[in-house]
């Protein structure tokens, strides 16, 4: 007899799933999820019109201490930028604009999640 186990999605994965649904409702088309480029990863790569958005998702149980988006510091931004450069090299689109978005997901133990989309959350340096 073979048993199939369905692993419970990790907390971060649940947040990314919620973020992807939210982006779709906002009119984005999801191009890739958890795209790896070397040792760096982009949570979601999506298109909104003529713009490709590289989206970092931050999930927390609450924002009592700090807002989730505040944890995307300089080092994390550089890692996302490096991965975005690799993506653009592999998928050139001279007609597209590019930007970096952050989606903050508050996933409380009880109640509905709260999702905040920050378009153009930071700029390439």
């Amino acid at each position: 007899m073979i048993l199939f186990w369905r692993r419970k999605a990790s907390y971060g994965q649940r947040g990314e799933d919620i973020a992807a649904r939210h982006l779709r409702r906002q009119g984005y088309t999801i191009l890739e999820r958890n795209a790896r480029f070397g040792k760096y990863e982009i949570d979601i790569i999506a298109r909104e019109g003529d713009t490709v958005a590289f989206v970092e998702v931050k999930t927390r149980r609450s924002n009592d201490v700090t807002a989730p988006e505040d944890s995307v510091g300089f080092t994390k931004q550089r890692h996302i930028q490096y991965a975005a450069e690799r993506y653009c090299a592999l998928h050139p689109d001279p007609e597209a604009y590019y930007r970096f978005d952050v989606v903050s997901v508050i996933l409380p133990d009880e109640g509905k999640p709260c999702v905040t989309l920050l378009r153009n959350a930071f700029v390439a340096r």
Side-chain angles (χ1 to χ4, degrees):
M1 180 163 99
I2 299 174
L3 297 175
F4 292 95
W5 296 87
R6 182 169 180 206
R7 288 182 40 190
K8 186 175 180 181
S10 73
Y11 201 71
Q13 185 62 50
R14 286 177 47 215
E16 287 181 20
D17 291 344
I18 290 167
R21 279 195 305 273
H22 182 77
L23 291 172
R24 282 188 205 98
R25 283 194 299 264
Q26 295 295 313
Y28 287 65
T29 300
I30 306 299
L31 302 175
E32 292 190 43
R33 290 185 59 183
N34 304 112
R36 295 201 67 77
F37 302 93
K39 62 182 179 178
Y40 304 119
E41 178 186 51
I42 299 175
D43 293 331
I44 299 172
I45 302 172
R47 182 177 277 278
E48 182 185 37
D50 59 357
T51 301
V52 174
F54 301 99
V55 183
E56 176 68 10
V57 179
K58 289 297 180 185
T59 306
R60 300 286 184 272
R61 291 190 193 284
S62 74
N63 61 355
D64 290 344
V65 179
T66 61
E69 61 271 14
D70 292 341
S71 65
V72 183
F74 177 76
T75 301
K76 183 63 175 179
Q77 290 176 19
R78 283 297 307 143
H79 293 172
I80 296 167
Q81 286 174 234
Y82 172 80
E85 290 168 3
R86 297 303 318 137
Y87 176 85
C88 292
L90 294 170
H91 306 280
D93 185 352
E95 303 292 318
Y97 297 97
Y98 299 93
R99 71 170 186 245
F100 300 96
D101 294 355
V102 173
V103 175
S104 164
V105 179
I106 304 295
L107 249 179
D109 291 330
E110 294 181 18
K112 290 186 175 186
C114 176
V115 182
T116 304
L117 168 60
L118 301 167
R119 286 181 172 89
N120 210 26
F122 61 90
V123 295
R125 300 173 195 228

